[in-house]
């Protein structure tokens, strides 16, 4: 193991973890010093992770329903709050039913095996999240991988897959490394033409994409065409933990009978259920938080572009500052932290070789001054290291 660990260090792909000594939020205190750090690398898109009402809801659920269920759902682990949250999730997405998991990783691990047989086919975008890839590995369906967001390639693969009983196209709604959004309109048209179902992973869309934050399907006007949605409660929706599948009732019924991460893992703890439930209430009351995040995203993207940086994706709070060189991304991220801005550099194998970047994530709770300080720091650090003229 020691030599394997050395190899990881030698390859420059070692991931170290910074320790935070405060709540998650736009401003952090790092263990061992650094206070007042402005945080630009959490998936806390709507700033609900430390929202006072979300915290209060968790405390109330903890007091009323206890620390946890000591059971899986079907034995002795379903409380009224689990059923209420599932109903609320289905209503939020305008779907028939929903099922909770301990994480979206589990939801992705459980769905393909439960739904697809060796007679079926799954067609997956090559840049889908690792949990979709692992979920697909676990199922016995025929596997097709199409080039990233390439509709010609998807069509060719759909033609090839006509020989199978059922076809399922699986894609991230928004891709977390590039901040780009799947062409769902085109995907749904092809799915209709070739009699396929569409599955989307909405972890980086639920709560904030689309006029009412319903997600990519709302943004692109295909809410009635996407059959299955998997998403997380651990990012925009309060940030605690948990995941879910929402879609047609018979599918959800089947998952309750067959999905292994659901059947063989503990129920979500009440405090976690309380957080997500309150987050959904806040979003269903008003879309003001989502709109505030969109305005801040726009401010960051336009100021950074004007400063001379290339920002990948469009209109998404994931704003990858493209730098190319892995070392440049890493030293610039380090130097940003020296200036009080917490961002992370990504390089191979997380992203393709030559496409290293610093990924900035905007939150509704960043102030305009936070955004401006980030742009100023990028400009200084970019000039110092030759990323800007
Ligand atoms: N799918 C995508 C696209 C993600 O980005 C993530 C989290 O990183 C997951 C699934 C897993 O979500 P969770 O943290 O709820 O397991």
């Amino acid at each position: 193991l020691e030599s394997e660990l050395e190899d990881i260090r030698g390859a420059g792909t070692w991931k170290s973890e910074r320790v935070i000594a405060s709540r998650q939020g736009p401003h952090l205190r790092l263990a061992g010093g650094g206070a007042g750090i402005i945080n630009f690398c959490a998936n806390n898109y709507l700033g609900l992770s430390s929202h006072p009402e979300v915290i209060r809801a968790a405390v109330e659920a903890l007091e009323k329903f206890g620390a946890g269920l000591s059971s899986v759902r079907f034995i002795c682990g379903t409380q009224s709050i689990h059923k209420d949250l599932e109903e609320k999730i289905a209503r939020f997405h305008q779907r028939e039913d929903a099922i909770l998991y301990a994480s979206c990783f589990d939801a992705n691990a459980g769905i393909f095996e439960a739904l697809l047989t060796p007679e079926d086919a799954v067609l997956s975008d090559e840049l889908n999240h690792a949990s979709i890839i692992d979920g697909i590995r676990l199922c016995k369906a025929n596997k097709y991988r199409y080039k990233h967001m390439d509709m010609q390639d998807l069509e060719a693969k759909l033609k090839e897959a006509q020989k199978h009983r059922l076809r399922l196209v699986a894609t991230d709604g928004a891709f977390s490394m590039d901040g780009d959004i799947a062409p769902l309109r085109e995907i749904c048209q092809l799915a209709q033409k070739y009699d396929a179902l569409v599955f989307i992973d909405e972890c980086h869309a639920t709560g904030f994409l689309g006029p009412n934050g319903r997600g990519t399907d709302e943004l692109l006007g295909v809410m009635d065409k996407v059959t299955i949605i998997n998403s997380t409660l651990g990012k925009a929706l309060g940030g605690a933990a948990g995941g879910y599948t929402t879609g047609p009732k018979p599918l959800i019924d089947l998952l309750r009978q067959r999905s292994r991460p659901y059947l063989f893992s503990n129920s979500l703890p009440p405090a976690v259920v309380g957080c997500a439930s309150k987050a959904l209430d806040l979003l269903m009351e008003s879309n003001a938080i989502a709109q505030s995040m969109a305005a801040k995203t726009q401010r960051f993207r336009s100021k950074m572009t004007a400063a001379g940086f290339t920002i990948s994706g469009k209109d998404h709070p994931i704003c990858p500052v493209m730098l190319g060189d892995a070392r440049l991304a890493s030293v610039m991220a380090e130097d940003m932290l020296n200036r009080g801005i917490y961002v992370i550099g990504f390089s191979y194998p997380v992203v393709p070789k030559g496409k290293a970047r610093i990924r900035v994530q905007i939150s509704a709770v960043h102030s305009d001054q936070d955004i401006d300080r980030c742009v100023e720091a990028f400009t200084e650090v970019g000039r110092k290291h030759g990323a800007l003229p």
Side-chain angles (χ1 to χ4, degrees), residues 156-208:
K157 300 275 157 50
L158 276 165
K159 279 185 187 156
E160 227 183 304
Q162 285 304 294
K163 54 187 182 261
H164 305 297
R165 184 188 70 139
L166 183 153
R167 287 151 293 287
L168 179 68
V169 180
T171 180
D172 279 8
F175 290 84
S176 60
M177 282 302 138
D178 292 291
D180 50 358
I181 293 170
L184 277 191
R185 252 183 243 131
E186 293 76 3
I187 289 176
C188 289
Q189 274 164 8
L190 285 175
Q192 210 158 5
K193 183 166 170 193
Y194 293 97
D195 193 20
L197 300 174
V198 176
F199 160 98
I200 55 175
D201 174 323
E202 287 281 88
C203 283
H204 296 278
T206 299
F208 56 91

Side-chain angles (χ1 to χ4, degrees), residues 46 48 51 92 207-208 210-214 237 278-292:
L46 298 175
L48 298 181
H51 191 288
F92 180 78
F208 56 91
N212 300 297
R214 292 328 189 242
L237 299 186
K278 178 51 74 176
L280 283 169
D281 288 345
L282 293 173
L283 294 181
M284 288 199 273
E285 270 162 29
S286 149
N287 63 1
I289 312 175
Q291 291 198 345
S292 140

Side-chain angles (χ1 to χ4, degrees), residues 43 102-106 108 129 131-132 172 174 176 201 203-204 231-235 242-243:
N43 302 305
S103 66
C104 185
F105 203 109
D106 277 354
N108 286 343
H129 189 259
S131 54
I132 300 179
D172 279 8
S176 60
D201 174 323
C203 283
H204 296 278
S231 193
T232 185
L233 304 171
K235 300 192 197 293

Side-chain angles (χ1 to χ4, degrees), residues 9 52 68 115 117 140 146-147 154 204 206 220 230 232 271 280 304 307 323 329 348 376:
R9 282 194 193 93
L115 179 64
T117 72
K140 296 201 172 68
Y146 63 91
K147 292 197 194 104
L154 174 59
H204 296 278
T206 299
L220 299 175
N230 275 10
T232 185
L280 283 169
M304 284 291 282
L323 297 166
Y348 182 81
E376 278 159 26

Side-chain angles (χ1 to χ4, degrees), residues 35-89:
I37 304 289
I38 311 181
N39 177 18
F40 282 97
C41 51
N43 302 305
N44 184 20
Y45 298 113
L46 298 175
L48 298 181
S49 303
S50 298
H51 191 288
E53 287 191 51
V54 172
I55 294 172
R56 200 171 320 117
V59 172
E60 281 167 11
L62 182 64
E63 282 180 349
K64 186 160 176 204
F65 291 95
L69 272 300
S70 309
S71 172
V72 299
R73 288 283 300 274
F74 82 94
I75 299 180
C76 185
T78 299
Q79 291 171 318
S80 51
I81 46 173
H82 295 94
K83 297 308 285 180
D84 290 348
L85 179 55
E86 286 171 340
E87 182 276 321
K88 207 176 277 185
I89 289 169

